[in-house]
Amino acid sequence: MTDQAFEQLVVKYEKLVYTICYQMTRNPHTAQDLAQEAFLSAYTHRESCDETNARPWLCRIATNKAKDYLKSAYHRKVDLTEDGEDVHTTLHTSPPPEDLTIEKDQAAQIAQIIRSLKEPYVKVAVAYFLEDRSVEEIARQLGRPPKTVHTQLYRAKQLLQKHLTQGGITDGTVR
């Protein structure tokens, strides 16, 4: 892919990449940084991109950048202020006990819903959401191709999202 073709790709998909990052992080500043990182990574590996599949390729890169950020120790340990103007870092404080109780109840309800999914989704969902295993680990454990596990996980997320919104537990956003 030429530099000019890549530049056109950036102009065409910059809003999409930003939106993906924002939807996953819910922070406009972080989303902006992650979108830039995604395009930098895409530029570095532009030779491996088939121009006919550029959109899903960029979406996957953006998604992976956001996932990596959300899994990072920095994200888990440091919180940015909400006002956006005076951005400084603060350590997380413990939430009030009533919030912890509500979170535990919701987590138990969600775990129950996950365990109530039908086969083949229950094994994949339990391993991914409750046991925090990677897709590759699940594929090896269940003797299934990783692509099959990805598909089953996608469908399990859709079913879980449907149950969560019907039950009023969350807004239905499953990551």
Side-chain angles (χ1 to χ4, degrees), residues 4-150:
Q4 186 178 13
F6 186 79
E7 188 177 324
Q8 291 173 349
L9 200 69
V10 171
V11 170
K12 186 173 181 179
Y13 294 118
E14 65 185 337
K15 290 180 183 176
L16 174 66
V17 170
Y18 171 81
T19 302
I20 290 168
C21 295
Y22 179 76
Q23 285 180 342
M24 293 185 73
T25 63
R26 298 289 182 205
N27 182 315
H29 303 294
T30 302
Q32 210 168 30
D33 291 343
L34 291 172
Q36 288 178 1
E37 286 181 32
F39 281 116
L40 180 61
S41 180
Y43 182 78
T44 306
H45 300 96
R46 67 188 181 279
E47 290 83 26
S48 66
C49 175
D50 176 14
E51 290 186 37
T52 59
N53 292 324
R55 185 176 191 266
W57 181 70
L58 280 172
C59 290
R60 175 57 37 205
I61 292 172
T63 301
N64 287 340
K65 289 292 179 187
K67 283 181 180 179
D68 290 346
Y69 171 78
L70 293 172
K71 289 180 181 179
S72 72
Y74 176 81
H75 171 70
R76 291 193 311 263
K77 297 292 182 192
V78 178
D79 187 25
L80 296 177
T81 59
E82 295 291 324
D83 61 6
E85 298 216 2
D86 180 28
V87 178
H88 62 281
T89 57
T90 57
L91 293 177
H92 282 290
T93 57
S94 298
E98 57 272 6
D99 289 351
L100 289 174
T101 303
I102 291 169
E103 285 179 21
K104 284 182 183 178
D105 288 345
Q106 286 180 339
Q109 288 176 325
I110 292 170
Q112 182 180 2
I113 292 170
I114 290 171
R115 288 188 175 96
S116 72
L117 293 175
K118 61 184 178 182
E119 281 297 334
Y121 311 119
V122 66
K123 288 180 183 175
V124 173
V126 167
Y128 187 81
F129 291 115
L130 303 180
E131 297 172 1
D132 201 27
R133 295 185 185 197
S134 70
V135 171
E136 290 75 24
E137 288 177 292
I138 298 168
R140 277 194 306 275
Q141 176 189 0
L142 299 177
R144 298 176 186 164
K147 192 70 175 166
T148 301
V149 173
H150 276 289

